[in-house]
């Protein structure tokens, strides 16, 4: 079996609500191995986005820990190395409206301290089939094209793991199929692991391992 690149142990997360604390994650354990693809399904509000945010270091757990393998630096908590090791793809693309396609991709490299990487950003846009749209602004791109930019952005720092939160949720059936195919192809080509949150049973079945988030815990689906 390949090495562990991302590991979560005993994750707990609650949010304040007017009715008292809302326990969203009760005890989540997860190991993601290099290059594997896994999907997480669960009803709306079950905590899927909360879990991905903890895995990628955009939020921190109340208890438990997340560890990300960062090459020679060994295991690091993802919130201490934002932009490195993990790439995000969101349902609503989350592109910067005032930057064009290649600038959106290059910004991720800049934030990670790797310089502006214009050429690399343009090469990645070509890889995702958008070589003819590199100067387009987000408002001038379709949903599918926007998600292609977001996938290029997620790849630019050569992450070991891509975290995708309902990446086809805003797309029509045909475009969703195209984006899913692209995502699976690029992670395989770049040997990145994929953690895919999806409502689609069909897309979930295209990943190697399927999990269900329910009652604040993960179990095999
Ligand atoms: N920042 C927050 N403050 C309060 N409640 C939150 C916050 N984020 C999420 N929640 C609540 O936690 C639950 C899980 O949310 P989320 O992780 O977005 O679920 P999912 O992605 O599975 O639909 C929901 O009931 C949501 O309302
Ligand atoms: Mg969600």
């Amino acid at each position: 079996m390949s090495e562990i690149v991302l590991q979560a142990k005993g994750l707990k997360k609650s949010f304040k609500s007017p009715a008292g604390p809302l326990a969203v994650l009760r005890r989540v354990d997860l190991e993601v191995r290099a290059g594997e693809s896994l999907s997480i399904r669960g009803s709306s509000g079950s905590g899927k986005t909360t879990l991905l945010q903890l895995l990628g270091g955009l939020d921190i757990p109340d208890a438990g820990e997340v560890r990300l393998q960062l090459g020679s630096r060994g295991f690091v908590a993802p919130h201490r190395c934002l932009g490195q090791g993990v790439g995000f793809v969101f349902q609503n693309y989350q592109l910067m409206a005032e930057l064009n396609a290649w600038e959106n991709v290059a910004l991720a490299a800049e934030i990670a301290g790797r310089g502006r990487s214009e050429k690399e950003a343009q090469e990645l846009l070509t890889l995702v089939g958008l070589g003819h749209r590199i100067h387009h602004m987000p408002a001038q791109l379709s949903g599918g094209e926007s998600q292609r930019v977001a996938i290029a952005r997620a790849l630019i720092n050569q992450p070991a793991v891509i975290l995708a939160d309902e990446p086809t949720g805003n797309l029509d059936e045909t475009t969703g199929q195209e984006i899913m195919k692209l995502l699976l192809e690029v992670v395989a080509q770049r040997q990145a692991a994929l953690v895919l949150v999806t409502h689609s049973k069909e897309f979930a079945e295209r990943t190697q391992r399927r999990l269900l988030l329910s009652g604040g815990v993960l179990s095999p689906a």
Side-chain angles (χ1 to χ4, degrees):
M1 238 192 288
S2 53
E3 54 163 336
I4 293 171
V5 286
L6 180 65
Q7 184 173 40
K9 271 193 202 160
L11 292 189
K12 289 191 169 94
K13 186 73 181 177
S14 298
F15 293 111
K16 287 193 191 113
S17 83
L22 175 71
V24 175
L25 303 180
R26 292 172 187 273
R27 196 191 59 253
V28 169
D29 298 302
L30 178 66
E31 285 178 354
V32 181
R33 291 182 181 271
E36 77 163 324
S37 62
L38 67 90
S39 55
I40 300 174
R41 293 173 70 213
S43 52
S44 185
S46 60
K48 304 179 300 296
T49 293
T50 303
L51 174 58
L52 280 202
Q53 303 239 324
L54 297 181
L55 293 177
L58 299 182
D59 200 352
I60 51 172
D62 299 332
E65 65 167 354
V66 183
R67 303 185 327 146
L68 173 69
Q69 168 63 247
L70 260 194
S72 58
R73 284 171 63 187
F75 279 99
V76 181
H79 71 278
R80 299 198 183 281
C81 54
L82 281 184
Q84 296 168 58
V86 164
F88 272 97
V89 180
F90 302 95
Q91 177 173 355
N92 57 356
Y93 330 123
Q94 301 277 26
L95 302 180
M96 303 285 282
E98 65 276 25
L99 300 181
N100 71 25
W102 80 258
E103 289 167 336
N104 262 283
V105 178
L107 179 67
E110 223 172 328
I111 289 170
R114 299 179 49 239
R116 213 151 181 244
S117 312
E118 177 172 351
K119 187 164 170 278
E120 204 184 340
Q122 297 183 357
E123 282 167 3
L124 276 169
L125 284 169
T126 302
L127 175 79
V128 299
L130 269 194
H132 58 311
R133 292 281 186 272
I134 60 174
H135 297 293
H136 271 51
M137 303 302 287
Q140 301 168 326
L141 296 170
S142 69
E145 288 171 342
S146 298
Q147 200 60 300
R148 286 174 191 266
V149 177
I151 291 170
R153 176 183 59 189
L155 293 171
I156 197 163
N157 295 322
Q158 283 119 35
V161 186
I162 300 278
L163 302 174
D165 194 356
E166 300 192 36
T168 63
N170 284 13
L171 303 173
D172 62 69
E173 173 68 25
T174 308
T175 310
Q177 292 279 358
E178 287 166 9
I179 291 297
M180 202 57 232
K181 182 166 175 278
L182 173 69
L183 194 53
L184 290 167
E185 274 169 14
V186 294
V187 295
Q189 186 196 351
R190 301 245 152 181
Q191 292 167 333
L194 173 68
V195 179
L196 170 73
V197 163
T198 181
H199 279 292
S200 160
K201 198 160 184 245
E202 183 199 335
F203 292 159
E205 278 167 3
R206 284 158 70 178
T207 61
Q208 293 159 349
R209 191 150 68 95
R210 289 162 289 277
L211 301 170
L212 178 72
L213 181 60
S214 177
V217 300
L218 275 179
S219 55

